[in-house]
Amino acid sequence: MLSENKSRAVTVMKDIIRYAIMAPSGHNTQPWLFSIDENVITIHPDYSKRLPVVDPDDHALFISLGCALENMVIAARHYGFEPSVDLDPESDEIKVAFTKNGGADDNRLFEAIPQRQAARRTYDGNPIPEKDLEALRNASVQDDVLFRIFKDPVEIEPLVEFVKEGNRLQFSNNAFVNELISWIRFKKSEAQRQGDGLNSASMGAPSVPQWLGRLFLNMASAEGEAKKCEKAIKSSSALMMFIAEDNSKRAWINLGRSFERVALTATRLNIRHAHLNMPCEEQHLRKKLQNHLNLTREQPLLLLRIGYADPMPCSLRRPVEQVIIN
């Protein structure tokens, strides 16, 4: 009987991890590994999934871990556990202990986890009701994190220029383009085999051979990509930004938790989102953005557009068995 109970507990833990790995990550690298020990799940960074060009300080990697952590917390409560999170400043690992609380939470965010996606397409431009924007603000509340929504064209226009400048810098950088290409799964069969990366369907592109996709992307002009981003922003209802109060792994993880709750809340409200992180990724441009926003040590790390549009195909995930280690 004891063995049977332990086996059931491990099954539940694996189910919780299955929801954790539905979290977003830069280029859908899925930079996480998990270990299970009794009633504790440890989240480990998987540095083999680093993005050294676009994310040299690993802040995006730890934001991704924060997103996975928040999914884990939400899923745990759905399964009737109270999670306790330990962010050890001396360690890169995140430990979550689970205590049975007697009943499952009625949490609508849990139902949004498998539906959440980044919708990289043109939106319809319709305004978002203020009550829904307030729901996003309420969902964002987290230690170490500031959250801003921009809906006034006067506020948005300077941010458009930051995004365009970031786009030009990145697509003029061969190292950036090569790193991006290495994570794009141009062909459907390759996306299914790898289970990670940016599959062409989720980007609104047809399935093509790898060599042809590489050719198309290498031919893309920096100015052309900047104009695409400008058009996408103009079709959106608002922009939202997540700002870390300091430049620490703890703040990055908490920012990921905040973003994931906002993204799940937006999903529940049928609001789409897509990333515009270019000015946050280019170090000197991030500094200019700090100055524009009258920030000092605070770091603007995620910029997204939001609005209404039809859903896109979801990105793929690796099987749970591939991310659990002993």
Side-chain angles (χ1 to χ4, degrees):
M1 178 65 78
L2 188 61
S3 176
E4 183 180 335
N5 288 341
K6 184 175 181 180
S7 176
R8 189 180 300 116
V10 170
T11 299
V12 172
M13 293 292 186
K14 286 183 177 179
D15 276 346
I16 290 172
I17 292 172
R18 182 165 62 86
Y19 283 97
I21 65 176
M22 293 180 189
S25 57
H27 293 358
N28 192 30
T29 56
Q30 304 166 43
W32 42 60
L33 295 167
F34 304 82
S35 58
I36 303 171
D37 182 16
E38 298 283 335
N39 67 326
V40 175
I41 296 176
T42 303
I43 306 175
H44 309 263
D46 183 354
Y47 289 112
S48 71
K49 308 293 184 184
R50 290 187 69 241
L51 296 169
V53 177
V54 78
D55 183 33
D57 62 358
D58 292 326
H59 76 265
L61 186 152
F62 279 91
I63 289 172
S64 301
L65 297 188
C67 293
L69 169 61
E70 190 60 28
N71 277 6
M72 182 178 290
V73 166
I74 292 168
R77 289 178 176 149
H78 172 81
Y79 280 99
F81 293 94
E82 185 53 42
S84 175
V85 177
D86 178 15
L87 296 181
D88 183 351
E90 301 301 319
S91 171
D92 291 352
E93 299 174 348
I94 306 166
K95 292 187 181 295
V96 187
F98 300 89
T99 305
K100 195 69 177 172
N101 66 12
D105 261 14
D106 176 19
N107 194 333
R108 286 176 293 176
L109 293 188
F110 174 78
E111 297 174 356
I113 290 175
Q115 300 171 359
R116 184 215 56 81
Q117 61 173 217
R120 302 175 183 86
R121 69 185 321 159
T122 302
Y123 297 169
D124 67 12
N126 288 328
I128 298 171
E130 184 56 39
K131 66 179 179 60
D132 290 348
L133 293 176
E134 191 60 26
L136 300 184
R137 293 187 188 97
N138 291 338
S140 75
V141 176
Q142 179 72 48
D143 291 345
D144 308 314
V145 181
L146 304 176
F147 176 69
R148 295 188 184 179
I149 293 176
F150 306 91
K151 57 179 183 176
D152 186 330
V154 174
E155 294 180 309
I156 291 175
E157 195 57 42
L159 298 179
V160 173
E161 295 306 314
F162 278 109
V163 171
K164 289 170 65 179
E165 184 178 350
N167 231 307
R168 293 187 192 102
L169 287 169
Q170 290 184 336
F171 278 89
S172 299
N173 180 351
N174 288 335
F176 168 85
V177 173
N178 289 334
E179 183 177 79
L180 175 62
I181 287 174
S182 73
W183 284 100
I184 295 180
R185 313 304 181 214
F186 293 99
K187 198 169 178 61
K188 182 179 179 180
S189 58
E190 182 196 12
Q192 292 172 336
R193 178 174 59 84
Q194 298 275 19
D196 62 8
L198 301 166
N199 71 77
S200 56
S202 69
M203 299 173 70
S207 175
V208 298
Q210 188 80 1
W211 67 267
L212 186 57
R214 285 175 175 272
L215 178 63
F216 284 151
L217 200 53
N218 275 315
M219 291 173 61
S221 72
E223 189 58 38
E225 293 300 314
K227 287 180 178 177
K228 283 182 190 176
C229 271
E230 180 176 19
K231 180 180 178 182
I233 295 172
K234 298 292 187 183
S235 78
S236 303
S237 308
L239 301 183
M240 59 184 189
M241 183 180 291
F242 294 81
I243 301 166
E245 290 189 339
D246 62 65
N247 213 20
S248 67
K249 289 175 182 175
R250 176 189 171 88
W252 299 340
I253 291 167
N254 280 338
L255 190 147
R257 296 189 68 179
S258 174
F259 162 58
E260 184 66 350
R261 278 199 310 277
V262 170
L264 293 175
T265 301
T267 299
R268 184 174 62 80
L269 296 171
N270 202 33
I271 299 169
R272 308 295 175 193
H273 68 272
H275 291 265
L276 299 164
N277 293 333
M278 307 79 172
C280 305
E281 293 164 345
E282 294 293 320
Q283 189 64 44
H284 84 279
L285 200 52
R286 190 196 304 172
K287 184 64 179 176
K288 288 172 64 175
L289 185 58
Q290 274 182 296
N291 293 336
H292 171 74
L293 298 170
N294 295 316
L295 303 173
T296 53
R297 64 190 180 92
E298 301 90 348
Q299 300 287 312
L301 295 182
L302 288 185
L303 177 63
L304 301 100
R305 60 189 180 93
I306 53 176
Y308 299 105
D310 291 334
M312 301 282 285
C314 288
S315 298
L316 301 177
R317 293 295 184 275
R318 290 177 287 152
V320 169
E321 291 72 23
Q322 289 187 14
V323 298
I324 294 180
I325 58 177
N326 295 326

